[in-house]
Amino acid sequence: MSHSSQKMFSKRVFFHNYSFVKFSSSSKNNLTDNIKTFKKSMPTIVEKIENVSKKTHPEIENIQGDFKILKSIGQKPVFDFKPLPLNMLKKVKYCLKTDNLTNYCGDRSYYFIGPLAKIEHALIQFTLSKLIKKGFKLVSVPDILPDELIKRCGMDTVGERNQIYTLDNNYYGKKWCLSGTSEMALAGSLMNKNIPKNKLPLKLCSVSRCYRAEVSDIAEERGMYRVHQFNKVEMFGACLPEESEYMTLYFRSIQEELFKSFDLHYRVLDMAKHELGNQAYRKYDIEAWMPGRKKYGEISSCSDCTNYQSVRLSINSDGTYLHTVNGTACAIPRLIIALAETHQTADGSFKLPKELHSHVIGQHLFKNLSNFPKFTPIQAHRYKM
């Protein structure tokens, strides 16, 4: 990235007086009324825009396979013992519950207990402090969104491949979904906005619970790697059309800066056309080496969505549709896997990177084994359901 583009996006951006769509979950009637009001406020999409072919960056047209490796940073760690996966680390496994949870919260879920819960909060605080210093505005977003907003952001809400949880129509009214990422709520907050050029580029960030109806039969993806809900720090930007490519690279540079501070070995991938979502013009993934799994695992991505979302949500500046960019700053479960397996020790614990020390509550995290009660399956026939 050029020095001028870094300077452009490192300036402090102020975000004033933008109203957010308000959602109520108090009753079915309220939700039904809200969805009607919301749809009335949605910009009209003419058919020629709705059905326009998705564009992609010309450089990805000839990528062979699923991705092209752009660069690899650091080296795979070397151990004088056999590295283990996270759930087999002796002093860590007492702080993590992923099994026997069917009666509590369903499969593909997890509990962080004690040290891991502290590390989760430390990662979030560390990431937010970095982003806020770079001029990002922190926004708290809703987790329940209208399906129309989700679709206009480029995600499918129906069909075999959709990953969206839909709320029961009989209880909550029609067309409400759980959010899979705060990107959609952040985009929705800018709907029908005419943003002055002197407020651009907008740089927003958010911490939210992400809900994914993902399934996988791959053994290596059990446990904490692919789950139905997790916490994530997201970056979202809106800028002039000529700036989105640079803003995407700027987001990617922030991701790399964060991961370098954790001494992770990672690689940056330029994703092939068939790996892109409906909204993405170009997408970069970052995969970290996970020694216990003996594989690379995706820990982050960032996408240039050009005007796909802004056209469908009417996000503009004096009649010019803005471009939107999004990127994951910190996806908790997989980042903890990469940290624990990379910095594991022979005694079955792991060392925290120095950058996190000031954000963690307490010292000697793994000195005492957890005495948290064991999770045991509930025998359903003993209870009236």
Side-chain angles (χ1 to χ4, degrees):
M1 187 188 301
S2 67
H3 177 73
S4 60
S5 64
Q6 286 182 340
K7 185 177 180 181
M8 176 194 306
F9 293 113
S10 62
K11 70 179 182 181
R12 186 163 182 81
V13 177
F14 295 96
F15 184 64
H16 295 299
N17 299 325
Y18 293 119
S19 60
F20 292 82
V21 179
K22 295 182 179 179
F23 303 102
S24 168
S25 58
S26 59
S27 70
K28 177 178 177 179
N29 289 336
N30 283 344
L31 283 173
T32 302
D33 292 341
N34 281 347
I35 201 72
K36 291 177 181 178
T37 303
F38 179 84
K39 290 194 172 184
K40 286 180 181 178
S41 67
M42 294 291 282
T44 301
I45 299 180
V46 296
E47 187 175 351
K48 65 180 181 180
I49 294 177
E50 179 67 20
N51 296 326
V52 69
S53 298
K54 186 174 83 73
K55 295 181 180 179
T56 53
H57 195 288
E59 289 187 17
I60 71 172
E61 293 293 332
N62 298 319
I63 291 179
Q64 302 296 317
D66 295 336
F67 56 81
K68 175 184 177 181
I69 300 176
L70 297 180
K71 59 180 175 179
S72 180
I73 302 298
Q75 302 294 325
K76 294 179 181 178
V78 178
F79 302 89
D80 56 7
F81 57 91
K82 182 182 178 181
L84 299 173
L86 171 68
N87 65 331
M88 293 183 65
L89 294 176
K90 184 171 63 173
K91 292 187 177 181
V92 178
K93 65 182 181 180
Y94 292 97
C95 312
L96 171 67
K97 303 297 181 184
T98 58
D99 298 325
N100 296 328
L101 299 180
T102 302
N103 299 114
Y104 298 94
C105 52
D107 62 351
R108 296 197 176 278
S109 298
Y110 61 90
Y111 278 77
F112 287 155
I113 302 164
L116 286 184
K118 292 179 181 181
I119 292 170
E120 174 181 39
H121 285 280
L123 285 168
I124 291 172
Q125 291 301 318
F126 172 79
T127 303
L128 288 179
S129 67
K130 292 287 186 182
L131 295 179
I132 291 170
K133 287 178 182 178
K134 293 178 182 294
F136 282 78
K137 192 73 172 181
L138 179 60
V139 182
S140 180
V141 298
D143 292 332
I144 300 175
L145 301 174
D147 70 336
E148 186 68 20
L149 173 58
I150 294 174
K151 288 188 286 187
R152 293 196 183 204
C153 285
M155 290 79 165
D156 295 326
T157 61
V158 294
E160 291 183 1
R161 298 193 63 184
N162 99 84
Q163 298 179 3
I164 303 295
Y165 282 108
T166 302
L167 300 187
D168 193 316
N169 293 343
N170 293 325
Y171 292 97
Y172 304 106
K174 295 182 178 179
K175 309 300 184 181
W176 290 93
C177 303
L178 294 179
S179 176
T181 170
S182 59
E183 168 200 342
M184 297 176 287
L186 291 171
S189 74
L190 302 178
M191 185 178 70
N192 293 326
K193 300 300 179 186
N194 181 6
I195 303 171
K197 286 185 171 61
N198 64 356
K199 301 296 183 184
L200 298 173
L202 282 181
K203 299 189 296 184
L204 310 178
C205 64
S206 182
V207 184
S208 73
R209 197 73 167 169
C210 302
Y211 301 90
R212 308 279 177 89
E214 297 184 283
V215 293
S216 174
D217 294 327
I218 302 174
E220 291 84 354
E221 294 187 349
R222 292 175 183 169
M224 217 168 68
Y225 187 82
R226 191 175 299 281
V227 291
H228 288 318
Q229 51 188 313
F230 59 94
N231 287 329
K232 178 162 71 86
V233 181
E234 182 79 358
M235 301 179 288
F236 186 84
C239 61
L240 294 172
E242 61 269 23
E243 297 175 350
S244 65
E245 187 168 357
Y246 298 103
M247 196 171 200
T248 308
L249 293 175
Y250 171 63
F251 276 24
R252 199 184 85 188
S253 72
I254 293 174
Q255 294 168 332
E256 291 195 59
E257 179 184 329
L258 291 168
F259 302 144
K260 284 178 182 176
S261 67
F262 298 148
D263 296 321
L264 296 177
H265 166 51
Y266 66 87
R267 61 186 188 180
V268 180
L269 312 178
D270 199 359
M271 303 308 293
K273 185 176 181 178
H274 63 272
E275 292 290 324
L276 273 56
N278 295 328
Q279 72 277 32
Y281 176 71
R282 192 172 196 175
K283 182 167 82 83
Y284 300 103
D285 280 4
I286 295 181
E287 292 185 336
W289 177 249
M290 299 175 176
R293 300 178 73 246
K294 297 181 176 61
K295 287 185 176 183
Y296 286 98
E298 180 192 339
I299 58 172
S300 185
S301 67
C302 60
S303 299
D304 180 357
C305 299
T306 62
N307 67 357
Y308 184 100
Q309 295 172 336
S310 61
V311 167
R312 290 160 174 78
L313 295 173
S314 190
I315 305 170
N316 72 93
S317 180
D318 298 329
T320 299
Y321 285 118
L322 298 179
H323 282 195
T324 58
V325 175
N326 66 77
T328 300
C330 174
I332 291 297
R334 293 188 188 180
L335 189 51
I336 285 183
I337 293 173
L339 284 172
E341 294 188 6
T342 296
H343 300 297
Q344 63 182 280
T345 56
D347 67 351
S349 63
F350 67 93
K351 295 180 179 179
L352 280 182
K354 291 181 179 178
E355 293 274 9
L356 287 178
H357 287 183
S358 62
H359 297 276
V360 176
I361 303 170
Q363 300 295 323
H364 310 295
L365 293 179
F366 298 103
K367 185 176 181 180
N368 298 312
L369 299 181
S370 171
N371 59 359
F372 196 86
K374 290 184 178 181
F375 285 77
T376 55
I378 298 172
Q379 295 182 12
H381 70 272
R382 293 186 178 181
Y383 301 89
K384 293 181 179 181
M385 305 297 287

